[in-house]
mmCIF file of all heavy atoms in Angstrom:
data_model
loop_
_atom_site.group_PDB
_atom_site.id
_atom_site.type_symbol
_atom_site.label_atom_id
_atom_site.label_comp_id
_atom_site.label_asym_id
_atom_site.label_seq_id
_atom_site.Cartn_x
_atom_site.Cartn_y
_atom_site.Cartn_z
ATOM 1 N N THR E 771 20.918 5.914 -4.179
ATOM 2 C CA THR E 771 19.571 6.395 -4.536
ATOM 3 C C THR E 771 19.215 7.532 -3.657
ATOM 4 O O THR E 771 19.911 7.938 -2.666
ATOM 5 C CB THR E 771 18.600 5.199 -4.165
ATOM 6 O OG1 THR E 771 18.513 5.064 -2.666
ATOM 7 C CG2 THR E 771 18.965 3.937 -4.813
ATOM 8 N N ASP E 772 18.139 8.246 -4.063
ATOM 9 C CA ASP E 772 17.733 9.487 -3.257
ATOM 10 C C ASP E 772 17.442 9.036 -1.832
ATOM 11 O O ASP E 772 17.737 9.851 -0.928
ATOM 12 C CB ASP E 772 16.432 10.124 -3.890
ATOM 13 C CG ASP E 772 16.814 10.744 -5.326
ATOM 14 O OD1 ASP E 772 17.959 11.001 -5.574
ATOM 15 O OD2 ASP E 772 15.878 10.956 -6.059
ATOM 16 N N ASP E 773 16.747 7.940 -1.624
ATOM 17 C CA ASP E 773 16.425 7.463 -0.238
ATOM 18 C C ASP E 773 17.745 7.307 0.575
ATOM 19 O O ASP E 773 17.816 7.543 1.763
ATOM 20 C CB ASP E 773 15.557 6.214 -0.299
ATOM 21 C CG ASP E 773 14.126 6.540 -0.808
ATOM 22 O OD1 ASP E 773 13.748 7.659 -0.663
ATOM 23 O OD2 ASP E 773 13.481 5.544 -1.122
ATOM 24 N N GLU E 774 18.735 6.725 -0.072
ATOM 25 C CA GLU E 774 19.911 6.439 0.679
ATOM 26 C C GLU E 774 20.713 7.704 1.022
ATOM 27 O O GLU E 774 21.272 7.858 2.090
ATOM 28 C CB GLU E 774 20.879 5.529 -0.175
ATOM 29 C CG GLU E 774 20.461 4.139 -0.259
ATOM 30 C CD GLU E 774 21.224 3.251 -1.322
ATOM 31 O OE1 GLU E 774 21.626 3.892 -2.329
ATOM 32 O OE2 GLU E 774 21.174 2.043 -1.078
ATOM 33 N N ILE E 775 20.651 8.704 0.073
ATOM 34 C CA ILE E 775 21.174 9.992 0.389
ATOM 35 C C ILE E 775 20.479 10.726 1.581
ATOM 36 O O ILE E 775 21.104 11.327 2.469
ATOM 37 C CB ILE E 775 21.135 10.890 -0.831
ATOM 38 C CG1 ILE E 775 22.226 10.397 -1.776
ATOM 39 C CG2 ILE E 775 21.503 12.354 -0.525
ATOM 40 C CD1 ILE E 775 22.215 11.074 -3.217
ATOM 41 N N ASP E 776 19.160 10.635 1.534
ATOM 42 C CA ASP E 776 18.330 11.111 2.717
ATOM 43 C C ASP E 776 18.734 10.438 3.984
ATOM 44 O O ASP E 776 18.907 11.099 5.101
ATOM 45 C CB ASP E 776 16.872 10.892 2.470
ATOM 46 C CG ASP E 776 16.279 11.734 1.456
ATOM 47 O OD1 ASP E 776 16.912 12.767 0.966
ATOM 48 O OD2 ASP E 776 15.176 11.405 0.918
ATOM 49 N N LYS E 777 19.108 9.122 3.902
ATOM 50 C CA LYS E 777 19.430 8.452 5.184
ATOM 51 C C LYS E 777 20.849 8.876 5.614
ATOM 52 O O LYS E 777 20.884 9.072 6.962
ATOM 53 C CB LYS E 777 19.559 6.857 4.714
ATOM 54 C CG LYS E 777 19.865 6.023 6.023
ATOM 55 C CD LYS E 777 19.899 4.496 5.538
ATOM 56 C CE LYS E 777 20.160 3.629 6.694
ATOM 57 N NZ LYS E 777 20.144 2.187 6.249
ATOM 58 N N ILE E 778 21.778 9.032 4.868
ATOM 59 C CA ILE E 778 23.031 9.523 5.392
ATOM 60 C C ILE E 778 23.091 10.981 5.836
ATOM 61 O O ILE E 778 23.735 11.410 6.791
ATOM 62 C CB ILE E 778 24.237 9.211 4.343
ATOM 63 C CG1 ILE E 778 24.052 10.003 3.108
ATOM 64 C CG2 ILE E 778 24.490 7.833 4.297
ATOM 65 C CD1 ILE E 778 25.271 9.959 2.257
ATOM 66 N N GLU E 779 22.217 11.779 5.198
ATOM 67 C CA GLU E 779 22.120 13.052 5.636
ATOM 68 C C GLU E 779 21.471 13.176 7.064
ATOM 69 O O GLU E 779 21.791 14.038 7.824
ATOM 70 C CB GLU E 779 21.256 13.979 4.621
ATOM 71 C CG GLU E 779 22.072 14.254 3.363
ATOM 72 C CD GLU E 779 21.316 15.029 2.280
ATOM 73 O OE1 GLU E 779 19.992 14.901 2.358
ATOM 74 O OE2 GLU E 779 21.950 15.761 1.457
ATOM 75 N N GLU E 780 20.421 12.374 7.219
ATOM 76 C CA GLU E 780 19.789 12.218 8.434
ATOM 77 C C GLU E 780 20.637 11.783 9.640
ATOM 78 O O GLU E 780 20.771 12.304 10.710
ATOM 79 C CB GLU E 780 18.565 11.327 8.386
ATOM 80 C CG GLU E 780 17.805 11.174 9.696
ATOM 81 C CD GLU E 780 16.556 10.274 9.539
ATOM 82 O OE1 GLU E 780 16.225 9.918 8.430
ATOM 83 O OE2 GLU E 780 16.014 9.892 10.624
ATOM 84 N N LEU E 781 21.518 10.755 9.274
ATOM 85 C CA LEU E 781 22.457 10.249 10.155
ATOM 86 C C LEU E 781 23.557 11.265 10.520
ATOM 87 O O LEU E 781 23.913 11.432 11.718
ATOM 88 C CB LEU E 781 23.093 8.983 9.672
ATOM 89 C CG LEU E 781 24.134 8.313 10.455
ATOM 90 C CD1 LEU E 781 23.590 8.012 11.875
ATOM 91 C CD2 LEU E 781 24.588 7.075 9.765
ATOM 92 N N LEU E 782 23.994 12.032 9.516
ATOM 93 C CA LEU E 782 24.971 13.166 9.835
ATOM 94 C C LEU E 782 24.299 14.182 10.784
ATOM 95 O O LEU E 782 24.986 14.677 11.619
ATOM 96 C CB LEU E 782 25.379 13.823 8.483
ATOM 97 C CG LEU E 782 26.358 14.947 8.669
ATOM 98 C CD1 LEU E 782 27.739 14.450 9.128
ATOM 99 C CD2 LEU E 782 26.538 15.673 7.254
ATOM 100 N N GLY E 783 23.051 14.471 10.579
ATOM 101 C CA GLY E 783 22.414 15.415 11.420
ATOM 102 C C GLY E 783 22.361 14.963 12.912
ATOM 103 O O GLY E 783 22.578 15.602 13.851
ATOM 104 N N TRP E 784 22.073 13.554 13.058
ATOM 105 C CA TRP E 784 22.104 13.005 14.366
ATOM 106 C C TRP E 784 23.577 13.108 14.958
ATOM 107 O O TRP E 784 23.653 13.366 16.150
ATOM 108 C CB TRP E 784 21.754 11.567 14.263
ATOM 109 C CG TRP E 784 21.640 10.818 15.620
ATOM 110 C CD1 TRP E 784 20.452 10.773 16.429
ATOM 111 C CD2 TRP E 784 22.570 9.994 16.149
ATOM 112 N NE1 TRP E 784 20.817 10.042 17.503
ATOM 113 C CE2 TRP E 784 22.040 9.546 17.345
ATOM 114 C CE3 TRP E 784 23.885 9.711 15.872
ATOM 115 C CZ2 TRP E 784 22.801 8.701 18.325
ATOM 116 C CZ3 TRP E 784 24.615 8.762 16.701
ATOM 117 C CH2 TRP E 784 24.055 8.418 17.830
ATOM 118 N N MET E 785 24.559 12.828 14.182
ATOM 119 C CA MET E 785 25.888 12.893 14.660
ATOM 120 C C MET E 785 26.224 14.416 15.055
ATOM 121 O O MET E 785 26.899 14.570 16.183
ATOM 122 C CB MET E 785 26.889 12.396 13.664
ATOM 123 C CG MET E 785 26.880 10.938 13.295
ATOM 124 S SD MET E 785 27.734 10.588 11.781
ATOM 125 C CE MET E 785 29.448 11.097 12.205
ATOM 126 N N ARG E 786 25.761 15.264 14.421
ATOM 127 C CA ARG E 786 25.965 16.717 14.776
ATOM 128 C C ARG E 786 25.340 17.055 16.109
ATOM 129 O O ARG E 786 25.937 17.725 16.881
ATOM 130 C CB ARG E 786 25.489 17.581 13.631
ATOM 131 C CG ARG E 786 25.755 19.165 13.876
ATOM 132 C CD ARG E 786 25.338 19.998 12.687
ATOM 133 N NE ARG E 786 26.152 19.810 11.515
ATOM 134 C CZ ARG E 786 25.815 19.164 10.463
ATOM 135 N NH1 ARG E 786 24.636 18.628 10.337
ATOM 136 N NH2 ARG E 786 26.664 19.035 9.478
ATOM 137 N N GLU E 787 24.150 16.473 16.301
ATOM 138 C CA GLU E 787 23.521 16.732 17.591
ATOM 139 C C GLU E 787 24.231 16.076 18.757
ATOM 140 O O GLU E 787 24.463 16.777 19.739
ATOM 141 C CB GLU E 787 22.036 16.082 17.554
ATOM 142 C CG GLU E 787 21.038 16.811 16.620
ATOM 143 C CD GLU E 787 19.795 16.096 16.684
ATOM 144 O OE1 GLU E 787 19.528 15.164 17.420
ATOM 145 O OE2 GLU E 787 18.778 16.520 15.903
ATOM 146 N N LYS E 788 24.779 14.937 18.557
ATOM 147 C CA LYS E 788 25.475 14.275 19.596
ATOM 148 C C LYS E 788 26.915 15.018 19.883
ATOM 149 O O LYS E 788 27.316 15.201 20.981
ATOM 150 C CB LYS E 788 25.819 12.798 19.226
ATOM 151 C CG LYS E 788 24.562 11.946 19.122
ATOM 152 C CD LYS E 788 23.802 12.033 20.520
ATOM 153 C CE LYS E 788 22.437 11.343 20.357
ATOM 154 N NZ LYS E 788 21.730 11.561 21.646
ATOM 155 N N PHE E 789 27.439 15.568 18.837
ATOM 156 C CA PHE E 789 28.702 16.382 18.886
ATOM 157 C C PHE E 789 28.453 17.618 19.713
ATOM 158 O O PHE E 789 29.138 17.963 20.548
ATOM 159 C CB PHE E 789 29.218 16.738 17.538
ATOM 160 C CG PHE E 789 30.317 17.762 17.615
ATOM 161 C CD1 PHE E 789 31.577 17.400 17.836
ATOM 162 C CD2 PHE E 789 30.022 19.121 17.337
ATOM 163 C CE1 PHE E 789 32.674 18.371 17.968
ATOM 164 C CE2 PHE E 789 30.997 20.053 17.424
ATOM 165 C CZ PHE E 789 32.393 19.645 17.671
ATOM 166 N N GLU E 790 27.324 18.222 19.477
ATOM 167 C CA GLU E 790 26.988 19.529 20.162
ATOM 168 C C GLU E 790 26.608 19.241 21.638
ATOM 169 O O GLU E 790 26.809 20.103 22.411
ATOM 170 C CB GLU E 790 25.747 20.214 19.493
ATOM 171 C CG GLU E 790 26.149 20.880 18.077
ATOM 172 C CD GLU E 790 24.991 21.195 17.218
ATOM 173 O OE1 GLU E 790 23.907 21.057 17.721
ATOM 174 O OE2 GLU E 790 25.291 21.893 16.124
ATOM 175 N N GLU E 791 26.026 17.977 21.873
ATOM 176 C CA GLU E 791 25.817 17.610 23.330
ATOM 177 C C GLU E 791 27.053 17.208 24.039
ATOM 178 O O GLU E 791 26.962 16.962 25.300
ATOM 179 C CB GLU E 791 24.796 16.524 23.280
ATOM 180 C CG GLU E 791 23.468 16.981 22.791
ATOM 181 C CD GLU E 791 22.493 15.727 22.514
ATOM 182 O OE1 GLU E 791 22.939 14.501 22.854
ATOM 183 O OE2 GLU E 791 21.363 15.942 22.125
ATOM 184 N N GLY E 792 28.122 17.073 23.279
ATOM 185 C CA GLY E 792 29.383 16.515 23.941
ATOM 186 C C GLY E 792 29.400 15.051 24.101
ATOM 187 O O GLY E 792 30.241 14.509 24.896
ATOM 188 N N ASP E 793 28.448 14.330 23.461
ATOM 189 C CA ASP E 793 28.421 12.898 23.669
ATOM 190 C C ASP E 793 29.272 12.262 22.562
ATOM 191 O O ASP E 793 28.694 11.747 21.597
ATOM 192 C CB ASP E 793 26.958 12.486 23.448
ATOM 193 C CG ASP E 793 26.751 10.992 23.851
ATOM 194 O OD1 ASP E 793 27.733 10.276 23.958
ATOM 195 O OD2 ASP E 793 25.567 10.567 23.861
ATOM 196 N N LEU E 794 30.641 12.163 22.780
ATOM 197 C CA LEU E 794 31.489 11.639 21.754
ATOM 198 C C LEU E 794 31.344 10.237 21.574
ATOM 199 O O LEU E 794 31.676 9.649 20.432
ATOM 200 C CB LEU E 794 32.869 12.083 22.066
ATOM 201 C CG LEU E 794 33.170 13.583 22.018
ATOM 202 C CD1 LEU E 794 34.645 13.909 22.270
ATOM 203 C CD2 LEU E 794 32.693 14.206 20.640
ATOM 204 N N VAL E 795 30.945 9.408 22.559
ATOM 205 C CA VAL E 795 30.799 7.990 22.426
ATOM 206 C C VAL E 795 29.663 7.663 21.458
ATOM 207 O O VAL E 795 29.786 6.850 20.489
ATOM 208 C CB VAL E 795 30.617 7.335 23.751
ATOM 209 C CG1 VAL E 795 30.189 5.877 23.649
ATOM 210 C CG2 VAL E 795 31.710 7.483 24.700
ATOM 211 N N SER E 796 28.543 8.384 21.614
ATOM 212 C CA SER E 796 27.436 8.224 20.731
ATOM 213 C C SER E 796 27.754 8.702 19.330
ATOM 214 O O SER E 796 27.458 8.101 18.290
ATOM 215 C CB SER E 796 26.182 8.953 21.202
ATOM 216 O OG SER E 796 25.697 8.280 22.405
ATOM 217 N N TYR E 797 28.515 9.747 19.292
ATOM 218 C CA TYR E 797 28.982 10.329 18.044
ATOM 219 C C TYR E 797 29.855 9.230 17.231
ATOM 220 O O TYR E 797 29.696 8.977 16.111
ATOM 221 C CB TYR E 797 29.807 11.571 18.183
ATOM 222 C CG TYR E 797 30.484 12.128 16.872
ATOM 223 C CD1 TYR E 797 29.832 13.016 16.034
ATOM 224 C CD2 TYR E 797 31.712 11.744 16.631
ATOM 225 C CE1 TYR E 797 30.376 13.439 14.974
ATOM 226 C CE2 TYR E 797 32.300 12.144 15.455
ATOM 227 C CZ TYR E 797 31.707 13.028 14.599
ATOM 228 O OH TYR E 797 32.249 13.471 13.433
ATOM 229 N N SER E 798 30.673 8.593 18.001
ATOM 230 C CA SER E 798 31.501 7.630 17.443
ATOM 231 C C SER E 798 30.706 6.429 16.856
ATOM 232 O O SER E 798 31.032 5.861 15.821
ATOM 233 C CB SER E 798 32.542 7.072 18.444
ATOM 234 O OG SER E 798 33.412 5.982 17.937
ATOM 235 N N GLU E 799 29.634 6.074 17.587
ATOM 236 C CA GLU E 799 28.805 4.967 17.125
ATOM 237 C C GLU E 799 28.131 5.349 15.766
ATOM 238 O O GLU E 799 27.949 4.690 14.812
ATOM 239 C CB GLU E 799 27.746 4.646 18.125
ATOM 240 C CG GLU E 799 28.308 4.022 19.468
ATOM 241 C CD GLU E 799 27.290 3.886 20.528
ATOM 242 O OE1 GLU E 799 26.143 4.392 20.426
ATOM 243 O OE2 GLU E 799 27.559 3.255 21.611
ATOM 244 N N GLY E 800 27.728 6.664 15.719
ATOM 245 C CA GLY E 800 27.072 7.187 14.467
ATOM 246 C C GLY E 800 28.141 7.242 13.358
ATOM 247 O O GLY E 800 27.691 7.042 12.203
ATOM 248 N N ASN E 801 29.274 7.458 13.752
ATOM 249 C CA ASN E 801 30.449 7.521 12.751
ATOM 250 C C ASN E 801 30.530 6.066 12.044
ATOM 251 O O ASN E 801 30.646 5.911 10.908
ATOM 252 C CB ASN E 801 31.703 7.888 13.480
ATOM 253 C CG ASN E 801 33.021 7.791 12.676
ATOM 254 O OD1 ASN E 801 32.999 7.490 11.403
ATOM 255 N ND2 ASN E 801 34.180 7.972 13.237
ATOM 256 N N ALA E 802 30.568 5.087 12.922
ATOM 257 C CA ALA E 802 30.649 3.749 12.364
ATOM 258 C C ALA E 802 29.491 3.378 11.512
ATOM 259 O O ALA E 802 29.664 2.798 10.499
ATOM 260 C CB ALA E 802 30.744 2.750 13.608
ATOM 261 N N ARG E 803 28.278 3.831 11.958
ATOM 262 C CA ARG E 803 27.065 3.468 11.196
ATOM 263 C C ARG E 803 27.092 4.167 9.868
ATOM 264 O O ARG E 803 26.685 3.734 8.766
ATOM 265 C CB ARG E 803 25.780 3.917 11.895
ATOM 266 C CG ARG E 803 25.527 3.005 13.118
ATOM 267 C CD ARG E 803 23.976 3.182 13.461
ATOM 268 N NE ARG E 803 23.643 4.524 13.771
ATOM 269 C CZ ARG E 803 23.795 5.032 14.939
ATOM 270 N NH1 ARG E 803 24.261 4.391 15.936
ATOM 271 N NH2 ARG E 803 23.272 6.369 15.175
ATOM 272 N N LEU E 804 27.624 5.443 9.798
ATOM 273 C CA LEU E 804 27.745 6.268 8.598
ATOM 274 C C LEU E 804 28.680 5.455 7.627
ATOM 275 O O LEU E 804 28.394 5.302 6.380
ATOM 276 C CB LEU E 804 28.136 7.655 8.900
ATOM 277 C CG LEU E 804 28.408 8.584 7.616
ATOM 278 C CD1 LEU E 804 27.011 8.792 6.900
ATOM 279 C CD2 LEU E 804 29.070 9.863 7.984
ATOM 280 N N HIS E 805 29.781 5.084 8.040
ATOM 281 C CA HIS E 805 30.750 4.448 7.222
ATOM 282 C C HIS E 805 30.149 3.024 6.715
ATOM 283 O O HIS E 805 30.371 2.672 5.417
ATOM 284 C CB HIS E 805 32.030 4.172 7.908
ATOM 285 C CG HIS E 805 32.997 5.343 8.021
ATOM 286 N ND1 HIS E 805 33.993 5.576 6.991
ATOM 287 C CD2 HIS E 805 32.961 6.370 8.882
ATOM 288 C CE1 HIS E 805 34.564 6.717 7.414
ATOM 289 N NE2 HIS E 805 33.956 7.219 8.512
ATOM 290 N N ARG E 806 29.401 2.313 7.543
ATOM 291 C CA ARG E 806 28.836 1.057 7.049
ATOM 292 C C ARG E 806 27.764 1.330 6.100
ATOM 293 O O ARG E 806 27.634 0.702 5.020
ATOM 294 C CB ARG E 806 28.196 0.326 8.219
ATOM 295 C CG ARG E 806 29.194 -0.357 9.227
ATOM 296 C CD ARG E 806 28.504 -1.394 10.141
ATOM 297 N NE ARG E 806 27.544 -0.828 10.917
ATOM 298 C CZ ARG E 806 27.762 -0.239 12.176
ATOM 299 N NH1 ARG E 806 28.891 -0.341 12.639
ATOM 300 N NH2 ARG E 806 26.778 0.242 12.855
ATOM 301 N N THR E 807 27.022 2.446 6.289
ATOM 302 C CA THR E 807 25.886 2.812 5.309
ATOM 303 C C THR E 807 26.442 3.232 3.944
ATOM 304 O O THR E 807 26.002 2.793 2.870
ATOM 305 C CB THR E 807 25.064 3.892 5.853
ATOM 306 O OG1 THR E 807 24.483 3.504 7.130
ATOM 307 C CG2 THR E 807 23.894 4.318 4.928
ATOM 308 N N ILE E 808 27.539 3.978 3.977
ATOM 309 C CA ILE E 808 28.187 4.270 2.723
ATOM 310 C C ILE E 808 28.718 3.157 1.937
ATOM 311 O O ILE E 808 28.582 2.984 0.758
ATOM 312 C CB ILE E 808 29.301 5.348 2.946
ATOM 313 C CG1 ILE E 808 28.719 6.728 3.442
ATOM 314 C CG2 ILE E 808 30.181 5.533 1.725
ATOM 315 C CD1 ILE E 808 29.730 7.635 3.949
ATOM 316 N N ALA E 809 29.183 2.169 2.768
ATOM 317 C CA ALA E 809 29.643 0.890 2.097
ATOM 318 C C ALA E 809 28.559 0.156 1.452
ATOM 319 O O ALA E 809 28.726 -0.373 0.315
ATOM 320 C CB ALA E 809 30.376 0.044 3.159
#
């Protein structure tokens, strides 16, 4: 749905922020959430 697409785009943006901060542990947590959300 459109709302679900908005959700994964927002999550990807959060992951990008964590990547730029060098926080790879949080990035990894976002990675897992993204895969679960897509499922």
Side-chain angles (χ1 to χ4, degrees):
T771 66
D772 290 342
D773 286 344
E774 288 171 333
I775 289 173
D776 288 343
K777 183 177 180 179
I778 59 172
E779 289 180 333
E780 181 179 346
L781 181 52
L782 179 66
W784 182 87
M785 290 169 61
R786 184 175 290 109
E787 290 178 3
K788 296 304 173 184
F789 170 80
E790 292 171 352
E791 293 170 1
D793 186 354
L794 295 183
V795 173
S796 293
Y797 173 90
S798 179
E799 293 171 356
N801 174 5
R803 289 202 303 274
L804 179 63
H805 282 266
R806 285 196 301 269
T807 303
I808 292 172

